[in-house]
Structures are given as structure tokens and as C-alpha cells.
Amino acid sequence: PHGDGCGWCPSFCGGAGKCMIGKTAPIFETCRADPDSGLLYRQCRVENVNLAPVIGAVVAGALLGFYFLYSLLRWIRRRHGTFALYLKKKRFDITYAGRKLYLLPPDGASYRQFFLMVMVTVALGVFFGGAVSDRGGPFYFQSEVYLD
């Protein structure tokens, strides 16, 4: 909230606050909760939470989810008989489509070799994609200097 790399700790300087380096927590110091307001690191003001809309949305979402699940299970029972038969049919459909699109190995193939090939491909993609060599972490220091 106070510039890039600067997080506000309200418990310092007699409640006046202090700017520190760190994204989720200060790197070089610890920031306790402010005893007067209860504010934590990177919190500038006390947020008033109105629970009525949150509880209403959660209850409405749960009711809609239960209705959807109930309707799905009734449809499965009407179309396929049992949930186990439905899962067996879906497994067959996915396997058939995967083999037809050459995404899954054929029937007699070794799944250990297939899994190893997929893992090597993903690892090479991550390595050559630059995800491993990104600058950052706890030992990457910015060139700015913050004075107390």
C-alpha cells in the first residue's frame, strides 16, 4: 500500500507505523499486531466486516450445490442405474477418447514408461520455460534503501 517493496507495520513507533521491506512479512524485523487496533503487517485501516451478506451467500451457494448434486444423482440413477456404473462408463469414454486422439497409450503399453515420459516432458518444459531461473526469493535484494 505504500510503494513497491514497502509494507507498513502499525505497531512500530508508538502506533504511528513504519515502512519495512517484504511482500508478506518483513524480511529483517518482526511485525507484531498493534495492541490498540489489532492491525497486522500491510494493514493500514481497520476493516468493518458485515457478515449478513457473506452468510447469506454461503447458505444460498450451499443450497444450490445440494440441489445440483441431488438433481445429478437422480439423473444418474434414471440413465445408468447406479453411480458405480456411471463412473465405469465415464472411465471407458475417457480412455476411448484419449486413445482415439493419441493422448493415451494403446492397450498393451507400459504405463510406467508413459508416466515417466510425461514427467520428463513436464520437467523439461518447466526448466526451459524459465520458471526455475526466476530472480526473487529471500536472497534477492532490491537496489532501493529504506531509511527509518
Side-chain angles (χ1 to χ4, degrees):
H2 298 282
D4 188 31
C6 177
W8 202 251
C9 185
S11 62
F12 277 72
C13 303
K18 174 181 167 183
C19 179
M20 292 190 255
I21 300 172
K23 296 284 184 195
T24 58
I27 295 176
F28 302 108
E29 300 176 74
T30 58
C31 179
R32 299 174 315 278
D34 188 35
D36 297 330
S37 62
L39 293 174
L40 299 172
Y41 183 65
R42 284 191 167 265
Q43 288 183 333
C44 297
R45 65 183 80 85
V46 179
E47 299 287 336
N48 293 330
V49 179
N50 191 0
L51 288 180
V54 173
I55 291 173
V58 168
V59 168
L63 287 175
L64 282 173
F66 283 133
Y67 177 74
F68 176 74
L69 184 65
Y70 174 73
S71 300
L72 178 67
L73 290 176
R74 282 187 56 201
W75 178 81
I76 288 173
R77 185 176 296 159
R78 189 173 59 243
R79 282 291 295 257
H80 301 282
T82 64
F83 190 66
L85 286 174
Y86 174 73
L87 289 179
K88 192 180 284 189
K89 183 186 180 318
K90 285 297 146 190
R91 182 177 176 192
F92 172 78
D93 290 346
I94 290 171
T95 304
Y96 180 74
R99 287 192 178 135
K100 195 170 184 178
L101 295 171
Y102 298 105
L103 295 175
L104 290 177
D107 245 349
S110 169
Y111 277 92
R112 180 178 293 164
Q113 290 176 350
F114 173 71
F115 181 71
L116 182 66
M117 186 66 138
V118 168
M119 293 305 292
V120 166
T121 304
V122 168
L124 287 175
V126 166
F127 183 72
F128 288 118
V132 178
S133 62
D134 188 24
R135 286 178 33 175
F139 303 112
Y140 173 67
F141 300 104
Q142 299 174 353
S143 61
E144 295 93 359
V145 175
Y146 298 104
L147 300 176
D148 292 315

